[in-house]
Amino acid sequence: MLRKKGLLIAGLVAAIILAGSIVLVRVYFVDAAQNLLSEMTEMGVVMEDIEIHYSPLPYLLVHNLEINNGTDSVRIPMLEIYPDIPSLLVGNIKLRHVILQDPDIQTAAHRSGSDSTGFEMPEFFPARLDVVSGKLLLTNGYQGTPLTVSASMEKETGGFSFNVRSASIAELGFKFSGKMDMLSASPLKLGLQATECSIDPAAFLGFLTGFGYLGNSTIPELADAGKFETRNLDFNVDSAMGTMSFQAGELVLDQSNGKNLSVNIGQGGSYQISIEEIHIDAGELYSMAQKSERGRNATQALCDSAKLKSIKPKGQLILKSVSLSSPASSVNTSRSAGLSGKMTVSAKDLALILESSEGKKQELNISDIDADIEIKDGKPIVSVRTFNVASVAGGDCNLQASFSFPFEMRQVRFKAEARDFSLFDYMITGDAEKKSPLKTLFDTQLVNKGTKISASGYFNSPYDKRAGLEAVLYSLSIRSPEQNDTDPVDKNFDFSVLLGGTLNGKASIRRFYYNDWPFSDVAVYLQSGATRAVLKASGKLFHLNLNADAVFSKEELAAQCSVKGRGDSLPSLIACFAEDLSVSLRGKVYLNANVFVQGKRPKELAESAQGDGTILVDGLQILNLANIDPRLGFFIDILDAVSKKSEAGEGLNFNSARVRAAISGKKVVIDSFSLEGNLLQAWGDGTYFLNDNRLKLDGKVRSLLGTVNTVNIDRRLKS
């Protein structure tokens, strides 16, 4: 019974206390509301309507609240204010929770130091603040659409600091949760620390350029990235000083990622960036570049210089120990002016997919990169310790190098080696090295569709850029298979590579073999202009002196060549055309010839040939007439004209042989020929047709007895 009475008394006491508390809350809430509204009125706050509610909890409902301070303004259509009940019981004004419905805030983006004022925390600021679809319009520097802000945060015990449960800015794709410290609202001074944060790159770059933190040309391709996320974010902004700092333990940009990023940006574009390590997806970087005109132009220029249809990378570039900085003036001047810094470059599963102009594709695997890049006032200095490339078609090459931009050949140092490196229809083997400002040594071999080119020597880089390159070749050999005349290639010439004024210089070649043609002491001079190039060449073929002058336009060639010789070996000269034929002839050759050609295609060039020449052979001997080569069968025809038969081992000797001829297209018109010997003389004229190797001669033959007979020869000289 006593227990029941005790419970009843306790219940009555609790009911009395609760009723008293409710009464106190109502009384104190009215007083607190009046005091709060009075303070807000003294601060210049204008309110259209105020409602006091007691259910389910006491709160104030304020309609159309406005605050104006110069160019700054705050408009809140509806404001819910919830007091802290325990504080009300002791007569204190303390707000537990405030909800801002659709607030609209307009404030200046930048202020001068004299306009800057710190943010003083009102005593009645709520412990918890929720912003529902707020609008923030920053003026004085950014004429964009208002930013839609939503947030839910709780105030910490000291200062103007908040634990942010969730916050977002829709127009920037900005979402985060963490801690926010606001030192000033106008001008904006705040700090954010968030374990995770995501940003829309396009909108965020627009925000930075709009406020003058970045120039319009600063990496605009990043705007096409789809995802930007960070972890362990520390973000600080001071609009009065025009500074912004950004640190992140980890960051993700689409398929690229990095760690320990630090960015400090000042108004006007000055910035400092440091990254411990970042992995960049090469394919993603390429796709991003192709979305901008600047990137497309750069890629197209690279393809044009390499004579490729396309170059596409895949795999990852790895940058380590990145440190970059730029002064404020670089935003309003050139894109890279003033940029300084350094980084280390490596790669993982990096490859280049090349497509030739004919549509063929080939992949190059870059198995190893180890390079340092240092940038001084916008000029990169590159040091490549290791660069290894393997071709899926076979072979590899490696490179060590150091160079800088703007590129200057005299400053370059490199060592390169290729081992059966296959690239489309080419295979390269050899090495090259440049250890001094002037000389580049090389010894290399290039194979293309049966044609093999071998060269060794060195290049000289001149002091005067206008002089062009100078090449000295110890040896040059070109061996090309015979062409199938039944299906000749007759495409239009394209000499554009020689034009533009960039390819100038001279070359000297001590020994030069073209198939079995042994040239020596060859000198070549090339002068390139915008619309034409001029080439001069000289050299020797045995003891024959050769000189050539050629003029190239983009699609046409005009050339003149002269050949002079005194006492050259006939067998050696014949061996250049038919080695097996040289064993049947002896004598010394004296030659003088000139030829001019002009055309836009190989056939047109051959058909345009015009020239003349004379040949004298002293001591001409034709050996072993009985087994003579069919290509020399016309000598048998001459013997038959005087009914002379050749015996086994017998030869035919002439004191001299002379030919005077003119070249017209693909035929050689023999104006006259003569053979002077003790046993036989012959003379006449004829024609040699280059198309089918056909020889026609009409002449006379005088025998030892003085009889003169007519000779008519029509033979096809088969090789």
Side-chain angles (χ1 to χ4, degrees):
M1 180 63 70
L2 290 175
R3 183 179 180 185
K4 290 182 178 181
K5 289 181 178 180
L7 291 174
L8 179 59
I9 294 171
L12 290 173
V13 172
I16 293 170
I17 293 174
L18 179 59
S21 298
I22 293 174
V23 172
L24 287 175
V25 167
R26 290 176 64 90
V27 172
Y28 285 132
F29 179 54
V30 172
D31 293 338
Q34 290 175 346
N35 292 334
L36 176 62
L37 294 175
S38 176
E39 289 190 27
M40 293 175 66
T41 302
E42 291 176 1
M43 294 173 58
V45 178
V46 178
M47 295 162 282
E48 181 180 292
D49 188 25
I50 303 169
E51 300 177 10
I52 300 177
H53 295 263
Y54 297 99
S55 176
L57 291 174
Y59 70 95
L60 288 178
L61 186 61
V62 181
H63 295 276
N64 296 327
L65 180 146
E66 290 189 16
I67 304 175
N68 292 283
N69 182 15
T71 59
D72 298 341
S73 66
V74 177
R75 292 176 175 84
I76 306 175
M78 188 166 64
L79 175 67
E80 297 180 34
I81 303 174
Y82 293 86
D84 181 68
I85 301 300
S87 298
L88 280 180
L89 293 176
V90 293
N92 293 330
I93 301 175
K94 188 174 182 181
L95 305 185
R96 178 178 62 84
H97 186 193
V98 172
I99 301 176
L100 308 181
Q101 295 282 353
D102 302 320
D104 190 335
I105 301 174
Q106 181 172 312
T107 185
H110 304 298
R111 297 181 188 272
S112 63
S114 60
D115 295 332
S116 301
T117 57
F119 187 91
E120 296 183 1
M121 174 69 68
E123 294 182 0
F124 52 80
F125 197 88
R128 177 180 173 184
L129 177 67
D130 286 338
V131 180
V132 182
S133 297
K135 297 292 184 181
L136 174 64
L137 179 60
L138 297 173
T139 61
N140 186 25
Y142 185 60
Q143 303 302 320
T145 58
L147 302 179
T148 304
V149 181
S150 296
S152 178
M153 59 188 76
E154 293 180 351
K155 183 180 176 299
E156 291 192 334
T157 55
F160 200 20
S161 298
F162 299 90
N163 287 318
V164 182
R165 293 197 298 270
S166 65
S168 66
I169 303 177
E171 287 75 13
L172 300 183
F174 187 72
K175 297 179 181 179
F176 82 100
S177 59
K179 180 181 178 182
M180 180 180 73
D181 294 312
M182 181 173 289
L183 304 178
S184 170
S186 181
L188 181 62
K189 295 181 181 181
L190 64 83
L192 300 175
Q193 295 81 40
T195 55
E196 293 186 2
C197 177
S198 64
I199 301 172
D200 183 304
F204 192 60
L205 283 176
F207 176 82
L208 295 179
T209 55
F211 285 123
Y213 289 111
L214 294 177
N216 290 327
S217 63
T218 305
I219 49 177
E221 293 83 0
L222 284 177
D224 291 309
K227 178 177 67 173
F228 181 60
E229 297 178 351
T230 67
R231 295 180 179 87
N232 301 323
L233 170 69
D234 189 349
F235 176 80
N236 294 275
V237 62
D238 184 340
S239 64
M241 299 297 295
T243 61
M244 180 182 297
S245 65
F246 180 98
Q247 286 83 35
E250 297 180 28
L251 73 156
V252 176
L253 182 65
D254 286 347
Q255 300 301 314
S256 302
N257 61 86
K259 61 181 181 180
N260 294 335
L261 166 69
S262 175
V263 180
N264 293 285
I265 303 176
Q267 187 175 348
S270 65
Y271 61 85
Q272 297 85 39
I273 300 175
S274 65
I275 308 175
E276 179 181 335
E277 183 174 318
I278 181 169
H279 293 238
I280 302 174
D281 187 279
E284 187 174 82
L285 183 65
Y286 172 84
S287 298
M288 186 183 300
Q290 295 310 292
K291 294 177 181 178
S292 74
E293 183 177 359
R294 182 174 64 179
R296 289 192 298 270
N297 291 341
T299 304
Q300 188 60 49
L302 179 61
C303 290
D304 291 343
S305 63
K307 303 299 181 184
L308 295 172
K309 187 176 180 180
S310 67
I311 302 176
K312 295 181 180 180
K314 65 178 184 178
Q316 286 188 335
L317 276 173
I318 302 173
L319 308 181
K320 297 181 180 179
S321 303
V322 180
S323 176
L324 299 172
S325 63
S326 178
S329 59
S330 65
V331 167
N332 298 318
T333 57
S334 65
R335 180 180 41 168
S336 59
L339 179 65
S340 300
K342 58 184 178 179
M343 66 186 74
T344 299
V345 182
S346 59
K348 180 180 179 181
D349 300 327
L350 186 63
L352 296 176
I353 301 174
L354 312 181
E355 184 177 3
S356 70
S357 55
E358 294 82 13
K360 298 180 180 179
K361 291 187 178 182
Q362 185 169 330
E363 183 173 318
L364 301 180
N365 294 319
I366 303 174
S367 57
D368 189 13
I369 296 180
D370 184 11
D372 289 333
I373 299 177
E374 184 175 2
I375 304 172
K376 295 182 178 180
D377 196 23
K379 299 177 181 180
I381 301 171
V382 182
S383 177
V384 182
R385 288 182 291 273
T386 306
F387 184 81
N388 293 329
V389 182
S391 170
V392 294
D396 57 26
C397 66
N398 59 75
L399 171 73
Q400 297 88 44
S402 63
F403 53 91
S404 62
F405 295 94
F407 189 83
E408 186 175 349
M409 189 63 185
R410 286 170 51 198
Q411 303 298 327
V412 176
R413 303 291 185 272
F414 70 87
K415 183 177 182 181
E417 181 181 6
R419 296 180 293 272
D420 297 332
F421 183 73
S422 296
L423 185 62
F424 295 116
D425 297 324
Y426 297 88
M427 186 172 70
I428 305 170
T429 298
D431 55 74
E433 184 173 11
K434 186 175 186 291
K435 298 189 293 185
S436 65
L438 297 181
K439 186 175 289 188
T440 302
L441 300 169
F442 62 90
D443 185 357
T444 186
Q445 176 179 285
L446 175 68
V447 179
N448 172 241
K449 297 180 180 179
T451 297
K452 181 184 294 186
I453 302 175
S454 302
S456 64
Y458 63 88
F459 289 109
N460 272 339
S461 303
Y463 286 101
D464 187 352
K465 295 180 180 180
R466 295 173 296 179
L469 285 174
E470 179 183 354
V472 177
L473 277 68
Y474 305 131
S475 65
L476 173 64
S477 174
I478 301 176
R479 295 195 172 274
S480 180
E482 294 184 2
Q483 298 293 326
N484 183 5
D485 292 337
T486 60
D487 187 23
V489 177
D490 192 40
K491 295 182 179 180
N492 288 340
F493 292 132
D494 182 6
F495 299 113
S496 56
V497 68
L498 299 177
L499 306 180
T502 58
L503 190 60
N504 300 300
K506 59 183 180 179
S508 60
I509 309 171
R510 297 178 186 177
R511 297 185 303 276
F512 172 29
Y513 289 88
Y514 181 77
N515 289 340
D516 295 322
W517 293 29
F519 297 89
S520 62
D521 299 329
V522 177
V524 180
Y525 301 86
L526 176 65
Q527 184 67 42
S528 172
T531 59
R532 71 173 193 167
V534 177
L535 182 143
K536 296 179 178 293
S538 63
K540 289 184 177 181
L541 177 61
F542 297 109
H543 297 290
L544 298 178
N545 293 312
L546 309 177
N547 288 277
D549 297 287
V551 178
F552 302 86
S553 65
K554 182 178 180 181
E555 299 177 344
E556 190 170 11
L557 163 65
Q560 181 174 331
C561 180
S562 65
V563 183
K564 296 181 179 180
R566 296 182 60 84
D568 203 7
S569 168
L570 178 61
S572 298
L573 184 59
I574 292 296
C576 295
F577 304 92
E579 185 176 2
D580 55 342
L581 195 61
S582 64
V583 299
S584 301
L585 299 171
R586 296 292 183 271
K588 295 291 185 180
V589 177
Y590 297 81
L591 173 65
N592 189 352
N594 293 279
V595 180
F596 175 82
V597 293
Q598 182 175 358
K600 297 183 178 181
R601 302 184 311 276
K603 282 186 178 181
E604 182 182 342
L605 195 70
E607 292 170 354
S608 71
Q610 299 292 325
D612 56 58
T614 60
I615 301 175
L616 169 63
V617 181
D618 273 351
L620 175 61
Q621 298 180 38
I622 300 94
L623 307 177
N624 196 9
L625 288 172
N627 296 309
I628 195 168
D629 190 286
R631 287 167 289 180
L632 300 176
F634 57 88
F635 286 111
I636 301 298
D637 295 336
I638 293 174
L639 290 176
D640 289 342
V642 293
S643 302
K644 179 174 175 54
K645 302 297 181 182
S646 58
E647 302 294 335
E650 184 181 5
L652 186 60
N653 298 325
F654 295 97
N655 297 328
S656 66
R658 296 175 184 271
V659 177
R660 185 167 61 86
I663 300 174
S664 179
K666 291 190 175 182
K667 67 180 180 180
V668 179
V669 179
I670 302 173
D671 296 325
S672 66
F673 73 88
S674 66
L675 299 169
E676 299 291 338
N678 296 328
L679 301 178
L680 197 67
Q681 297 90 39
W683 64 92
D685 56 25
T687 305
Y688 179 63
F689 299 92
L690 297 173
N691 275 338
D692 53 2
N693 294 323
R694 183 181 179 187
L695 177 65
K696 294 183 69 175
L697 296 176
D698 297 307
K700 304 290 185 179
V701 181
R702 178 186 290 119
S703 69
L704 180 62
L705 301 177
T707 59
V708 177
N709 294 331
T710 300
V711 62
N712 301 107
I713 299 173
D714 188 351
R715 278 182 174 269
R716 179 167 293 176
L717 308 182
K718 297 180 179 180
S719 58

